[in-house]
Amino acid sequence: MPAPRGSGCGGCGERPCRQHRRRRGGQAGEQRFVLICSRSLSGLPCFAKAFLDRRCPALGYSGAGFVLLQRMVEQKTGLPLAQYMDKEVFAPLGMKNSSYALSPGFELAAGHTKAGAVIPGKRNRYPESAAAGLYTNVLDLCRLVCYLNKAWTASGDIAGPLSKASTRTLLTAGPQPTMGRGFFIAGSGTNSFCYTHDGSNYGFKSVFKGYPQLGAGYAILANGDNMNLVNEIASAIRSVYGWA
């Protein structure tokens, strides 16, 4: 459901802060910008930015940016995001339990608070689908990781939604050395090179990570609001297998 509006940031309800103040007009030469705020899959609240100023960074974390990208895809293809992703990504990769639909047809888990209580309504529904609305499970996420690992290391294109060139672009650092196009990356140019993303919606926490050169990876999904537990499990996996 849409995030509540109130005394906090318009669109997410967080406490107002300097990053979210809107400035329009002003004296000649004064910085002019608008910051777009959206709750996003990563769980980094309220820092999605869209600047109207050449002096601002060329790349920043932006859940709102993915909402705009969603609308671009929908307008270009004439399909809702859920249908487009089913056709172009999930079906080719065998991800049968993944969907961007608001109410997918497969069984859904109920989210829980840190205290263990089921959250109201069992789960929130997010119309800003590209940023916060993916339903999936660990098997499907691991199918995605396996595909990206193979597409990265293959000598040419393999069957699937991305060409080798697109995969390389996706997982290669841009202006910021720790960010690819949609993933966080580390260890570029080494056997420990990896890409990762975490997830944080109310009542749910997650993380997945892939190591293309090692042909390895993992995915952890929890229907509880305790990211510390997810990080502890991830740390244990990396320790057992000797992964960075």
Side-chain angles (χ1 to χ4, degrees):
M1 63 183 67
R5 294 183 177 270
S7 60
C9 172
C12 77
E14 291 290 329
R15 180 175 61 85
C17 58
R18 180 179 59 82
Q19 284 90 341
H20 296 101
R21 295 171 187 163
R22 295 167 176 259
R23 296 177 60 185
R24 305 178 191 273
Q27 300 299 318
E30 183 180 15
Q31 185 182 27
R32 299 163 58 89
F33 60 86
V34 176
L35 282 83
I36 301 173
C37 177
S38 171
R39 287 196 180 278
S40 63
L41 186 63
S42 79
L44 301 178
C46 302
F47 297 121
K49 305 175 182 178
F51 285 95
L52 304 180
D53 192 293
R54 294 180 182 177
R55 294 167 292 177
C56 293
L59 180 67
Y61 190 94
S62 179
F66 271 83
V67 176
L68 297 177
L69 181 60
Q70 171 184 338
R71 290 299 298 132
M72 292 171 63
V73 169
E74 291 175 335
Q75 291 181 10
K76 180 67 174 178
T77 65
L79 296 173
L81 180 69
Q83 290 184 25
Y84 176 81
M85 291 297 292
D86 284 345
K87 176 184 177 183
E88 300 294 337
V89 179
F90 299 147
L93 298 185
M95 299 172 66
K96 298 180 180 180
N97 290 294
S98 297
S99 178
Y100 279 102
L102 288 178
S103 299
F106 45 78
E107 185 178 4
L108 301 175
H112 292 74
T113 66
K114 288 184 178 179
V118 176
I119 66 173
K122 297 186 178 180
R123 66 198 66 86
N124 289 346
R125 295 191 299 171
Y126 298 91
E128 58 275 33
S129 300
L134 174 63
Y135 292 96
T136 190
N137 62 19
V138 289
L139 293 178
D140 275 7
L141 271 185
C142 285
R143 290 184 177 97
L144 173 63
V145 170
C146 286
Y147 169 73
L148 290 175
N149 287 351
K150 292 177 181 177
W152 174 272
T153 57
S155 58
D157 293 348
I158 64 173
L162 296 176
S163 65
K164 181 178 178 64
S166 294
T167 304
R168 288 280 172 166
T169 299
L170 183 72
L171 302 180
T172 297
Q176 297 185 23
T178 60
M179 293 181 69
R181 278 69 170 179
F183 295 99
F184 297 96
I185 61 175
S188 296
T190 72
N191 284 338
S192 295
F193 167 64
C194 61
Y195 56 90
T196 186
H197 209 299
D198 57 2
S200 180
N201 285 338
Y202 180 46
F204 298 87
K205 296 291 182 282
S206 64
V207 68
F208 70 91
K209 198 168 192 176
Y211 300 85
Q213 299 302 131
L214 302 178
Y218 61 82
I220 303 165
L221 303 182
N223 60 329
D225 225 18
N226 188 347
M227 193 65 192
N228 289 335
L229 176 60
V230 171
N231 289 334
E232 181 179 343
I233 296 170
S235 178
I237 292 172
R238 293 193 300 271
S239 177
V240 168
Y241 289 98
W243 300 336

